[in-house]
Amino acid sequence: DAGITQSPRHKVTETGTPVTLRCHQTENHRYMYWYRQDPGHGLRLIHYSYGVKDTDKGEVSDGYSVSRSKTEDFLLTLESATSSQTSVYFCATRTGVNEQFFGPGTRLTVL
Amino acid sequence: AQSVTQLGSHVSVSEGALVLLRCNYSSSVPPYLFWYVQYPNQGLQLLLKYTTGATLVKGINGFEAEFKKSETSFHLTKPSAHMSDAAEYFCAVSDGNNDMRFGAGTRLTVKP
């Protein structure tokens, strides 16, 4: 357990509203990731960060933005939520040896 | 780009039987390979990983996997299944940096 918390754990929102998910880590890991998990797709990378204010896009970044103003916090924002963004979102961190540690997940439902 | 194929979205075994979960990968660079387990309503937990060195890797809870470069495979095995092994298992391949690709997952059911 790498001390990763995610908030909120569950959220229901309406189409068109902005949503921000938070990931907080206590291990001082440099790298942080946001994934979404959907049946039949496993986990797919949305965005990642390799340091404060340093971020890059992943495989499924459209409709999402991220920010990292502190080492311990990595925020994922859905600018205008759509039903296709209903999913379970996982945050992960990585040490230098490539192993990733995962948070407990946030279940997001967009109505 | 890298990719992972997990053969069989659902696998069912009897308690005490061999567990075999199949994973094949594609990678243009020497791969780092991982197996993760996910219990209901939880995040992913690392079972084992292959980076370099010995091709037979032992993990937690009695699981092991063998890296076979010639077959581009990294199958997960356990000699004797327990009820507590029921979960979803994900194979993943990484390039050693920030590109980690996951398979679609295999749900393991253990029958009493």
Side-chain angles (χ1 to χ4, degrees), chain B residues 3 17 21 36-37 47-48 53-54 62 64 68 70 82 88 90 98:
Chain B
S3 65
L21 305 183
Y36 284 88
V37 60
L47 272 179
L48 49 79
E64 63 181 37
K68 292 187 176 181
S70 62
H82 294 172
E88 189 152 22
F90 293 93
N98 295 303

Side-chain angles (χ1 to χ4, degrees), chain A residues 17-92:
Chain A
T17 60
V19 176
T20 295
L21 308 182
R22 179 178 182 245
C23 177
H24 179 79
Q25 59 136 333
T26 59
E27 300 294 319
N28 203 35
H29 289 171
R30 177 182 175 187
Y31 300 95
M32 298 185 75
Y33 305 83
W34 276 108
Y35 292 91
R36 60 177 290 172
Q37 182 179 27
D38 304 289
H41 291 277
L43 277 75
R44 292 178 291 175
L45 182 64
I46 305 171
H47 282 280
Y48 66 94
S49 169
Y50 46 96
V52 173
K53 296 190 183 343
D54 292 323
T55 65
D56 206 346
K57 295 180 180 180
E59 184 184 359
V60 291
S61 60
D62 286 349
Y64 302 94
S65 62
V66 291
S67 66
R68 191 170 179 198
S69 59
K70 298 185 291 185
T71 298
E72 58 267 35
D73 290 327
F74 192 31
L75 304 181
L76 176 71
T77 297
L78 288 65
E79 310 287 352
S80 177
T82 68
S83 58
S84 65
Q85 293 176 312
T86 291
S87 187
V88 181
Y89 292 85
F90 287 97
C91 174

Side-chain angles (χ1 to χ4, degrees), chain B residues 14-57:
Chain B
S14 297
E15 193 172 18
L18 172 71
V19 176
L20 171 60
L21 305 183
R22 300 178 186 273
C23 172
N24 288 90
Y25 70 91
S26 171
S27 179
S28 58
V29 298
Y32 294 82
L33 295 160
F34 306 83
W35 275 100
Y36 284 88
V37 60
Q38 184 181 33
Y39 298 102
N41 299 312
Q42 295 186 25
L44 277 68
Q45 178 185 355
L46 182 70
L47 272 179
L48 49 79
K49 64 181 177 182
Y50 169 79
T51 54
T52 59
T55 57
L56 182 62
V57 180

